[in-house]
């Protein structure tokens, strides 16, 4: 857990609040709809209570973010998770929220990148500039974030995966719909840099730089009034590799789980046998089985 001394957004030196990277309500929803314990792929043997958080922002900046987060929760996240709607009208509050989320994740990843020399100098300098632009926008010091793009990709039920047979066996429905994760990636050859956040199948991808092969169709969120649908979205992108990586990480975590933990899971499922159909993961299991048969 990072313990910063100054607020990462406004720079004031004060007592900092524990800020979640991915909003708390995502974890709350995950827990409420889970059949068993929530596990983290870093350490699958210990059930977790909460998602990643750090002492990062002062109270004022937390307040600045929270109204936009509520807007996202009420207008997109919950209606989508409850399967009430797949079409969403939005205004500039969505763009602000997405910026605040990717900015938090990028800010912390940059601390890691600078300590550990993870990326090359071109990518690093570009990301530093993007972090600053987003911070200034979030503080209402500028009205745009330049060429940075936000995309939302809804992980809907997939019947077939073309060109990526590996993914089919990796239980993508169960993993993506029951997952929370956020991190920054860099494809330095293509010059495609971004932050990807999975909120139970709602994927936010913020692109700081976009290589020439990237194609994003019906996914972009604009800075203003717009419309997005969880339907007919298509991506041709290096981000596809990140989807596969997320699945593989989850797979190796479940492989590394101790026999005792595996036994506990089976016991829990047996105890709930009669009600399994009532949990959202049941449909994910069916979808994954269908996909794997193909
Ligand atoms: Zn602050």
């Amino acid at each position: 857990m990072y313990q910063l001394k100054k607020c990462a957004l406004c720079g004031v030196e004060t007592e900092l609040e524990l800020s979640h990277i991915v909003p708390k309500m995502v974890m709350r929803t995950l827990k409420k709809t889970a059949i068993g314990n929530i596990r983290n792929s870093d350490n699958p043997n210990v059930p977790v209570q909460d998602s990643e958080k750090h002492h990062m922002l002062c109270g004022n900046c937390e307040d600045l973010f929270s109204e936009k987060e509520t807007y996202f929760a009420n207008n997109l996240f919950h209606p989508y998770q409850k399967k009430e709607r797949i079409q969403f009208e939005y205004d500039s509050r969505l763009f602000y929220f997405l910026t605040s989320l990717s900015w938090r994740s990028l800010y912390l990843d940059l601390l890691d990148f600078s300590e550990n020399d993870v990326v090359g100098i071109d990518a690093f300098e570009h990301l530093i500039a993007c972090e600053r632009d987003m911070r200034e926008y979030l503080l209402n010091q500028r009205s745009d974030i330049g060429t940075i793009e936000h995309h939302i990709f809804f992980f809907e039920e997939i019947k077939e995966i073309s060109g990526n047979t590996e993914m089919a066996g990796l239980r993508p429905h169960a993993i993506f719909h029951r997952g929370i994760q956020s991190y920054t990636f860099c494809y330095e050859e293509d010059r495609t840099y971004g932050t990807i956040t999975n909120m139970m199948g709602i994927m936010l991808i913020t692109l700081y730089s976009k290589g020439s092969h990237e194609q994003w169709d019906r996914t972009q969120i604009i800075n203003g009034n717009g419309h997005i649908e969880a339907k007919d979205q298509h991506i041709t992108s290096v981000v596809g590799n990140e989807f596969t990586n997320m699945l593989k990480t989850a797979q190796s975590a479940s492989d590394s789980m101790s026999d005792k933990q595996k036994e506990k899971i089976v016991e829990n499922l047996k105890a709930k046998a009669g009600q399994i159909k009532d949990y959202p993961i049941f449909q994910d299991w069916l979808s994954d089985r269908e996909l794997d048969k193909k």
Side-chain angles (χ1 to χ4, degrees):
M1 195 193 294
Y2 282 106
Q3 174 82 59
L4 306 180
K5 292 209 163 57
K6 285 182 190 171
C7 172
L9 191 67
C10 72
V12 76
E13 259 183 80
T14 179
E15 185 112 347
L16 299 180
E17 299 193 5
L18 263 179
S19 311
H20 286 79
I21 302 306
V22 178
K24 196 163 56 185
M25 50 98 185
V26 180
M27 188 58 160
R28 215 182 292 133
T29 304
L30 183 63
K31 274 173 146 176
K32 219 160 61 184
T33 57
I35 198 161
N37 289 318
I38 310 292
R39 288 164 199 276
N40 182 327
S41 51
D42 292 337
N43 188 358
N45 290 320
V46 183
V48 292
Q49 297 305 318
D50 205 350
S51 55
E52 187 184 350
K53 55 187 177 183
H54 303 274
H55 290 279
M56 183 176 181
L57 297 171
C58 74
N60 289 340
C61 290
E62 274 287 337
D63 291 348
L64 196 61
F65 286 180
S66 74
E67 181 214 336
K68 314 296 196 298
E69 183 176 313
T70 307
Y71 174 82
F72 168 76
N74 294 338
N75 291 281
L76 202 148
F77 182 77
H78 291 307
Y80 180 73
Q81 294 295 345
K82 288 178 189 158
K83 298 190 192 305
E84 291 169 355
R85 265 192 289 151
I86 60 160
Q87 291 192 21
F88 308 93
E89 307 295 327
Y90 62 81
D91 62 31
S92 58
R93 284 175 286 182
L94 180 61
F95 192 87
Y96 188 98
F97 166 73
L98 300 178
T99 307
S100 77
L101 175 45
S102 289
W103 171 78
R104 268 173 277 188
S105 194
L106 175 63
Y107 184 94
L108 295 172
D109 285 336
L110 281 172
L111 293 181
D112 176 47
F113 290 174
S114 67
E115 278 167 27
N116 301 306
D117 277 331
V118 190
V119 295
I121 190 76
D122 176 73
F124 190 65
E125 282 181 350
H126 187 73
L127 294 176
I128 295 269
C130 289
E131 186 277 321
R132 184 200 57 219
D133 290 351
M134 291 203 287
R135 177 161 29 92
E136 288 173 1
Y137 162 82
L138 292 168
L139 288 165
N140 297 311
Q141 292 168 356
R142 56 182 285 169
S143 58
D144 66 80
I145 52 172
T147 55
I148 302 169
E149 293 179 6
H150 293 309
H151 295 267
I152 289 182
F153 179 73
F154 295 92
F155 191 84
E156 285 285 281
E157 193 185 337
I158 41 175
K159 305 275 188 214
E160 225 180 310
I161 299 177
S162 54
N164 190 339
T165 44
E166 200 182 14
M167 206 195 251
L170 291 169
R171 304 185 298 130
H173 296 89
I175 302 301
F176 288 142
H177 289 156
R178 310 302 301 163
I180 301 176
Q181 206 176 359
S182 184
Y183 65 92
T184 301
F185 61 86
C186 291
Y187 288 84
E188 296 182 57
E189 269 171 42
D190 295 335
R191 272 201 112 236
T192 299
Y193 316 139
T195 296
I196 183 169
T197 302
N198 177 23
M199 292 173 278
M200 300 178 69
I202 302 174
M203 303 271 186
L204 161 64
I205 302 103
T206 296
L207 294 173
Y208 306 113
S209 169
K210 211 164 97 177
S212 55
H213 303 299
E214 294 289 305
Q215 273 177 32
W216 293 72
D217 202 11
R218 297 166 61 87
T219 53
Q220 191 167 2
I221 302 295
I222 56 165
N223 187 3
N225 295 336
H227 168 97
I228 187 141
E229 253 179 273
K231 203 183 147 196
D232 301 328
Q233 296 186 303
H234 296 284
I235 304 178
T236 309
S237 170
V238 290
V239 169
N241 298 316
E242 295 307 316
F243 292 161
T244 312
N245 288 343
M246 285 166 132
L247 295 175
K248 280 189 188 160
T249 306
Q251 182 66 48
S252 57
S254 91
D255 291 346
S256 72
M257 205 182 284
S258 67
D259 288 341
K260 196 174 153 208
Q261 288 300 322
K262 283 182 187 160
E263 228 169 81
K264 274 190 187 169
I265 291 173
V266 173
E267 286 303 313
N268 175 47
L269 289 177
K270 277 187 192 158
K272 287 176 179 157
Q275 308 128 48
I276 283 178
K277 285 188 180 65
D278 302 335
Y279 289 90
I281 198 165
F282 183 70
Q283 185 54 48
D284 292 327
W285 285 335
L286 295 183
S287 305
D288 284 331
R289 205 166 59 184
E290 277 305 305
L291 187 66
D292 201 20
K293 271 196 242 163
K294 296 235 166 81

